[in-house]
Amino acid sequence: GAGVSQSPSNKVTEKGKDVELRCDPISGHTALYWYRQSLGQGLEFLIYFQGNSAPDKSGLPSDRFSAERTGGSVSTLTIQRTQQEDSAVYLCASRTTGTDTQYFGPGTRLTVL
Amino acid sequence: SQQGEEDPQALSIQEGENATMNCSYKTSINNLQWYRQNSGRGLVHLILIRSNEREKHSGRLRVTLDTSKKSSSLLITASRAADTASYFCATADQGAQKLVFGQGTRLTINP
């Protein structure tokens, strides 16, 4: 079956603009994760969804970052008033109930000018 | 913040040789996973080892886990040019859902 998909694959934006990043998890996977990979910070957890609820938002770096998930499927990560330090690859992963393996999408490379 | 450290940060070997990467972590874990990343994009899951396991094999991969030393190693045998990539270990804490990654090892296989 299809893997995790993310869109867009690349996004270039100007400082101060809002951006939305999309993740389509593997069908039937109830758990969904967002991570960020940047040169200075490595791979960092952002937020975890179980169904449409987000029991762990501890990794969101500021209130400019938010995420939602609808219908237990697609998730959107929104970054408001982007800053240059938000430039990174944003990775989404999903996992099915009863297993520990997370399957990652190809990521969205965000560049804030 | 990073859970642990990987060693070495970069490794360059000849095709056909074995490659060993090490990972250390700081807290009690439920499991430890190894991922591969090509060209700085998506992560490919390689193998998962649980805290009550000491060694696991998958094809040319062998993973060990020493919970007393809070360390793991990934051995790739008979390396191929296609194994050139970055390799990350990731731990899942007891009761936690998120993965905490090491900073990775950049492996280069020379033909």
Side-chain angles (χ1 to χ4, degrees):
Chain A
V4 178
S5 61
Q6 293 186 244
S7 61
S9 57
N10 288 284
K11 177 72 176 178
V12 179
T13 190
E14 293 180 348
K15 178 182 173 181
K17 301 282 190 183
D18 298 351
V19 295
E20 286 189 353
L21 311 179
R22 176 187 169 108
C23 172
D24 279 276
I26 294 172
S27 178
H29 281 199
T30 56
L32 185 147
Y33 306 77
W34 284 98
Y35 296 85
R36 177 171 76 171
Q37 185 175 28
S38 57
L39 280 175
Q41 300 298 321
L43 270 156
E44 301 176 290
F45 165 81
L46 297 177
I47 187 169
Y48 154 61
F49 286 93
Q50 180 61 44
N52 293 335
S53 301
D56 189 350
K57 306 178 183 179
S58 62
L60 295 178
S62 75
D63 58 9
R64 295 187 295 104
F65 288 71
S66 63
E68 64 175 13
R69 188 179 185 195
T70 55
S73 182
V74 171
S75 175
T76 303
L77 177 68
T78 300
I79 309 173
Q80 295 179 311
R81 304 180 303 282
T82 51
Q83 304 293 313
Q84 288 182 333
E85 61 263 29
D86 300 334
S87 295
V89 176
Y90 289 82
L91 294 160
C92 175
S94 69
R95 175 181 61 82
T96 192
T97 303
T99 70
D100 293 312
T101 300
Q102 295 184 22
Y103 296 91
F104 282 78
T108 293
R109 183 178 298 280
L110 175 66
T111 302
V112 182
L113 301 177
Chain B
S1 62
Q2 297 290 310
Q3 157 77 297
E5 297 184 358
E6 292 188 56
D7 160 50
Q9 291 188 9
L11 178 62
S12 181
I13 61 174
Q14 296 300 119
E15 196 167 18
E17 294 180 340
N18 296 340
T20 299
M21 289 159 271
N22 303 295
C23 166
S24 62
Y25 58 91
K26 297 175 183 174
T27 63
S28 296
I29 61 170
N30 180 46
N31 65 72
L32 185 145
Q33 305 180 39
W34 285 89
Y35 286 85
R36 184 185 73 223
Q37 185 178 45
N38 293 88
S39 306
R41 298 304 289 261
L43 294 162
V44 175
H45 183 263
L46 296 176
I47 196 165
L48 179 153
I49 187 165
R50 300 198 179 282
S51 59
N52 62 352
E53 297 176 309
R54 291 297 166 259
E55 187 170 315
K56 202 162 183 180
H57 298 253
S58 176
R60 293 184 296 113
L61 306 179
R62 178 187 146 217
V63 169
T64 62
L65 179 64
D66 187 336
T67 53
S68 67
K69 295 181 180 178
K70 291 187 168 56
S71 68
S72 174
S73 68
L74 172 67
L75 168 67
I76 304 174
T77 60
S79 63
R80 305 168 182 169
D83 295 330
T84 293
S86 291
Y87 291 81
F88 294 88
C89 67
T91 55
D93 293 351
Q94 300 284 353
Q97 297 293 332
K98 64 185 180 185
L99 291 176
V100 181
F101 287 86
Q103 72 264 50
T105 292
R106 175 68 191 167
L107 175 65
T108 302
I109 308 299
N110 302 304

